[in-house]
Amino acid sequence: MSEAIVEVRDLSNCFGPQVVHEHLDLDIRRGEILAVVGGSGSGKSVLLRTLIGLNRPSAGSVRVFGEDLLTLPEQRRSRVERRFGVLFQQGALFSSLTVIENIALPLIEHAGLSRASAERLAAVKLALAGLPANAGDKYPASLSGGMIKRAALARALALDPDILFLDEPTAGLDPIGAAAFDQLILTLREALGLSVFLVTHDLDTLYAISDRIAVLSQKRVLVADRLEVVAAYDDAWIRDYFHGPRARAAEHTHASLRETD
């Protein structure tokens, strides 16, 4: 079993009287793609935001590479967080910057590169994300949904992260575009040795690329294991999600693909 590079223990997230997470435990292992699923309101995106430091939890600990993010001095925490790459659900690109300028920005701000050097390196990240070179001169408003996802992924890769955090990366994409994005994530994980924390509701993604699946329910991680183990777990939401018509179709599709391979 690979080592845990992120260890979440006894985590609680409360917003006023609303308790989103309580006594939540979860590990992210080196080199794995961990997919997080759960019903609406289960706190999937809140958990992601907590892990990357955008939300301070009410209680508990988040250890990354052996260091507790919640107790580190700001400068040291910032150094750890630079090892994260984050793709937000809507891309979160700066609308007033071109794609290349969006990708170059963290290289200028955090790596201290000149604009010319940052933009040269940004062009490499653009290619890694599967976008043509001429996409770099475009503004986000002129990009398709799939291109926005890839541009945001290129920016997430800018600082050569160890961990990628992806929030619903295939949401809004057509099935062909979503499948291509899934394969891109798989390729990048293999080529760059990334660990991936993936919030999704896409069953095709779960079957295609996840190593483990964590189910958020009842304010905690109900189960975190391989797909076949999770699908067999005795819980009403899991039964509805993993054994409904949509799940059977996804399972059939990916069983057929494995036979073809």
Side-chain angles (χ1 to χ4, degrees):
M1 184 183 297
S2 300
E3 66 172 314
I5 57 173
V6 178
E7 300 169 282
V8 181
R9 295 292 180 269
D10 205 27
L11 189 77
S12 294
N13 274 307
C14 305
F15 300 94
Q18 182 186 11
V19 179
V20 178
H21 302 132
E22 194 170 35
H23 306 306
L24 185 152
D25 295 336
L26 183 65
D27 288 344
I28 304 173
R29 299 172 186 165
R30 185 178 299 280
E32 78 168 343
I33 297 178
L34 174 67
V36 176
V37 301
S40 178
S42 59
K44 301 182 293 295
S45 292
V46 171
L47 177 58
L48 184 151
R49 290 172 61 85
T50 302
L51 297 185
I52 64 175
L54 292 181
N55 174 68
R56 187 168 185 86
S58 307
S61 66
V62 178
R63 296 187 68 82
V64 183
F65 309 116
E67 301 193 85
D68 189 343
L69 280 189
L70 305 180
T71 60
L72 283 179
E74 184 176 348
Q75 191 172 22
R76 188 169 183 126
R77 187 178 73 246
S78 179
R79 284 201 298 270
V80 173
E81 290 173 350
R82 284 179 207 168
R83 300 173 72 179
F84 302 163
V86 185
L87 189 158
F88 294 100
Q89 190 168 341
Q90 305 300 328
L93 298 173
F94 293 105
S95 60
S96 60
L97 302 180
T98 65
V99 169
I100 280 290
E101 289 169 341
N102 266 281
I103 301 166
L105 187 62
L107 292 163
I108 296 168
E109 293 287 325
H110 298 298
L113 297 186
S114 68
R115 177 168 176 166
S117 297
E119 292 191 356
R120 281 196 297 272
L121 189 51
V124 175
K125 306 301 181 179
L126 193 71
L128 271 178
L131 284 172
N134 63 7
D137 296 327
K138 298 180 184 295
Y139 287 90
S142 65
L143 301 180
S144 68
M147 291 178 77
I148 286 174
K149 299 278 190 184
R150 287 173 183 261
L153 177 61
R155 187 178 63 184
L157 294 169
L159 295 173
D160 298 325
D162 294 294
I163 311 174
L164 268 184
F165 292 90
L166 311 177
D167 193 359
E168 298 281 7
T170 58
L173 300 183
D174 63 81
I176 294 173
F181 198 91
D182 285 341
Q183 288 307 307
L184 174 60
I185 296 303
L186 202 57
T187 300
L188 290 171
R189 188 273 298 266
E190 298 299 329
L192 304 177
L194 297 167
S195 304
V196 181
F197 178 95
L198 167 71
V199 172
T200 189
H201 68 278
D202 191 330
L203 282 154
D204 286 316
T205 296
L206 299 182
Y207 278 94
I209 68 171
S210 65
D211 296 307
R212 289 193 305 139
I213 298 169
V215 178
L216 291 189
S217 181
Q218 301 165 37
K219 303 174 185 176
R220 60 188 176 89
V221 174
L222 192 62
V223 59
D225 213 318
R226 301 183 316 278
L227 188 149
E228 60 269 23
V229 175
V230 171
Y233 194 86
D234 185 16
D235 174 77
W237 186 88
I238 289 176
R239 282 194 300 273
D240 289 344
Y241 187 72
F242 285 99
H243 299 284
R246 182 68 189 85
R248 287 194 294 272
E251 183 178 16
H252 175 74
T253 297
H254 290 281
S256 300
L257 288 173
R258 285 192 297 270
E259 289 172 6
T260 302
D261 293 341

